[in-house]
Amino acid sequence: MLENYLPVLIFMAVGLIVGFVLLTMGGFMLAPHKPDEAKNSPFECGFEAFEDSRMKFDVRYYLVAILFIIFDLEIAFLVPWAIVLEDIGLFGVLSMGIFLGVLVIGFIYEWKKGALEWE
Amino acid sequence: MIEYTPDFLINFWNWFPVDAQTVAIILGKIVLILLPLILSVAYVTYAERKVIGAMQVRIGPNRVGFFGFRLWGLGQPIADTVKLMFKEVIIPTQANKYLFLIAPILSIGPALAAWAVIPFDRGMALANVDAGLLYVLALTSIAVYGVIIAGWASNSKYAILSALRSGAQIVAYEIAMGFALVGVLMASGSLNLSAIVEGQAGGMSSWYFIPLFPLFLVYFISGVAETNRAPFDVAEGESEIVAGFHVEYSGMAFALFFLAEYANIILISALTALMFLGGWLSPFEGFTFLEGTMFEFLRETSLIWFLGKTSFFIFCFLWFRATFPRYRYDQIMRLGWKVFIPITIIWIFVEAVMMLAKVGPWAV
């Protein structure tokens, strides 16, 4: 059972190694390396960079991240439910209906509050 | 085959411990998956330029060939790769050096590793694991780290703007994508990708794209948004933020992002083919009148069907890019949150009711 996952583990390692090898080989062994001040400055349409680029950003990005956690968690609950749905039948559908119903009410609330508006 | 192998090779092979043999076989299979994949990635970039060229009544790349023959420019992707390998990787002075270099690796690693569980034909998967779909979902989610870390580590204004936009967009569409996958799971009752395909056996009419049509559309469009492709490419938005999160990357570091993007395109196309279009199953499977005629072979399952369906979806990616203008950011978020998520939730309810009433693919 668990040994089925060995190829997966090895593949993940190979994927990372491929990335690492391509980067070190292509980037640092074959390629030239001649840094200068202008070349190494951040790109800004020809201007000198004049302030830190890690600036304040819109709170809505943060809001999206919070909403994402709620909904992603919901999906995590739905996945095992979907697998065994044929065995649990009406009881399963009703209990998930209540759970999803509560979340849908929350979703409607945040919609009406304008948390999903971007203008 | 074994009897033709010289003895010393067999002895040499047997000299290794069994564990090492297992690992060596797995590594061999991984190479068999990765080499065609990387080659496909290279030629999808070529196909993209050719297809968009044709759609805009241009010729596209047609100069670089092999050994003095032009061959419709087939040498172009190889020349591009070689060029990128010999270009300097610039690390900006203000960047966080290590994060800056980790980001492309974090992009490419999962994009390749997700292929571990993809079945190419009946019984032809590297790892036929039961949690296959969950694994793919998990690995495609990691892609967002590559983008965010790249944007943050670059310490450039365009890069960080793009990383924020792209991060919010990817997580928004991931929810719609996850819900669409739940619909597929309800239909198939399994997370195993091979089992999902086998659940669609019985000809074109039993493929999941018919009972799950809204989810099929939502999944594919979310896939386009997840890979940051046009018309959802605000993360790159050449006309607004230059190149987005990889504006500071050059040479091979940039090539890795590029490689990851195209590997993800092929992955999304392959997954759509597997989950909604019956993977390696033949569209003519239910045509009993073909029996005994010379076209009977058309009914058989084959790797060719899978590759054909995947290629069709890859073509759709290129077609979208040539056809649609870029969405505005608020339109993207509206589509993701206010259209796709309600549609998928409703369809999951519809599916549950269909299941209780025993209609559709669940009528056993």
Side-chain angles (χ1 to χ4, degrees), chain A residues 8 12, chain B residues 109-115 134-144:
Chain A
V8 174
M12 284 163 89
Chain B
L112 297 181
W115 285 86
L134 206 57
Y135 171 75
V136 170
L137 192 63
L139 279 195
T140 46
S141 312
I142 296 180
V144 71

Side-chain angles (χ1 to χ4, degrees), chain B residues 137-160:
Chain B
L137 192 63
L139 279 195
T140 46
S141 312
I142 296 180
V144 71
Y145 285 106
V147 173
I148 297 238
I149 293 177
W152 175 261
S154 300
N155 206 349
S156 158
K157 290 192 184 83
Y158 296 116
I160 199 148

Side-chain angles (χ1 to χ4, degrees), chain B residues 275-298:
Chain B
M275 291 187 299
F276 295 98
L277 253 66
W280 57 79
L281 300 172
S282 158
F284 307 110
E285 212 183 343
F287 289 16
T288 40
F289 61 80
L290 285 176
E291 217 154 330
T293 66
M294 62 182 294
F295 296 111
E296 203 179 343
F297 70 93
L298 282 177

Side-chain angles (χ1 to χ4, degrees), chain B residues 13-337:
Chain B
W13 176 251
N14 287 336
W15 176 77
F16 285 106
V18 182
D19 289 344
Q21 288 179 2
T22 326
V23 171
I25 289 172
I26 293 172
L27 281 175
K29 286 179 178 170
I30 289 175
V31 170
L32 281 183
I33 295 175
L34 276 188
L35 279 186
L37 176 66
I38 290 177
L39 211 60
S40 318
V41 166
Y43 277 92
V44 169
T45 64
Y46 169 77
E48 174 165 40
R49 296 168 68 179
K50 273 290 191 196
V51 166
I52 294 179
M55 286 180 180
Q56 296 169 346
V57 207
R58 293 184 284 114
I59 295 173
N62 71 337
R63 295 278 153 171
V64 188
F66 298 99
F67 311 113
F69 298 102
R70 276 194 192 167
L71 296 173
W72 314 282
L74 275 174
Q76 188 71 47
I78 315 246
D80 285 341
T81 317
V82 171
K83 183 200 81 174
L84 282 168
M85 274 184 145
F86 287 95
K87 288 280 178 188
E88 178 176 355
V89 174
I90 300 168
I91 303 173
T93 21
Q94 295 187 21
N96 296 36
K97 199 174 171 197
Y98 293 106
L99 284 179
F100 187 81
L101 292 175
I102 284 171
I105 299 175
L106 256 187
S107 284
I108 187 75
L112 297 181
W115 285 86
V117 296
I118 303 289
F120 297 92
D121 196 354
R122 186 168 283 157
M124 216 170 114
L126 175 66
N128 189 13
V129 296
D130 281 336
L133 198 53
L134 206 57
Y135 171 75
V136 170
L137 192 63
L139 279 195
T140 46
S141 312
I142 296 180
V144 71
Y145 285 106
V147 173
I148 297 238
I149 293 177
W152 175 261
S154 300
N155 206 349
S156 158
K157 290 192 184 83
Y158 296 116
I160 199 148
L161 281 174
S162 157
L164 286 171
R165 285 180 181 195
S166 163
Q169 174 189 333
I170 290 177
V171 298
Y173 279 86
E174 202 166 294
I175 296 169
M177 208 173 197
F179 274 127
L181 291 182
V182 168
V184 175
L185 298 181
M186 287 165 74
S188 65
S190 174
L191 277 163
N192 185 317
L193 282 165
S194 299
I196 291 175
V197 173
E198 294 300 338
Q200 303 175 62
M204 214 162 162
S205 56
S206 18
W207 292 356
Y208 287 153
F209 82 100
I210 294 175
L212 306 179
F213 192 69
L215 298 186
F216 165 60
L217 291 184
V218 167
Y219 181 80
F220 189 59
I221 297 172
S222 304
V224 178
E226 282 267 294
T227 44
N228 284 325
R229 292 288 300 181
F232 301 101
D233 61 344
V234 286
E236 289 188 22
E238 305 92 330
S239 45
E240 305 158 26
I241 45 175
V242 198
F245 60 88
H246 54 54
V247 65
E248 299 292 349
Y249 286 86
S250 61
M252 214 52 208
F254 164 74
L256 288 187
F257 279 117
F258 205 63
L259 203 66
E261 180 179 329
Y262 283 83
N264 274 326
I265 289 175
I266 303 178
L267 181 71
I268 295 282
S269 305
L271 284 172
T272 319
L274 285 173
M275 291 187 299
F276 295 98
L277 253 66
W280 57 79
L281 300 172
S282 158
F284 307 110
E285 212 183 343
F287 289 16
T288 40
F289 61 80
L290 285 176
E291 217 154 330
T293 66
M294 62 182 294
F295 296 111
E296 203 179 343
F297 70 93
L298 282 177
R299 296 176 55 202
E300 281 164 28
T301 63
S302 153
L303 176 65
I304 311 278
W305 293 122
F306 173 64
L307 295 182
K309 291 163 187 174
T310 309
S311 311
F312 169 73
F313 286 116
I314 296 173
F315 177 74
C316 285
F317 270 92
L318 311 183
W319 193 4
F320 290 165
R321 180 164 168 198
T323 309
F324 296 120
R326 187 179 296 136
Y327 262 132
R328 226 168 46 216
Y329 196 68
D330 63 312
Q331 292 171 326
I332 289 179
M333 291 315 251
R334 190 179 66 211
L335 184 69
W337 287 101

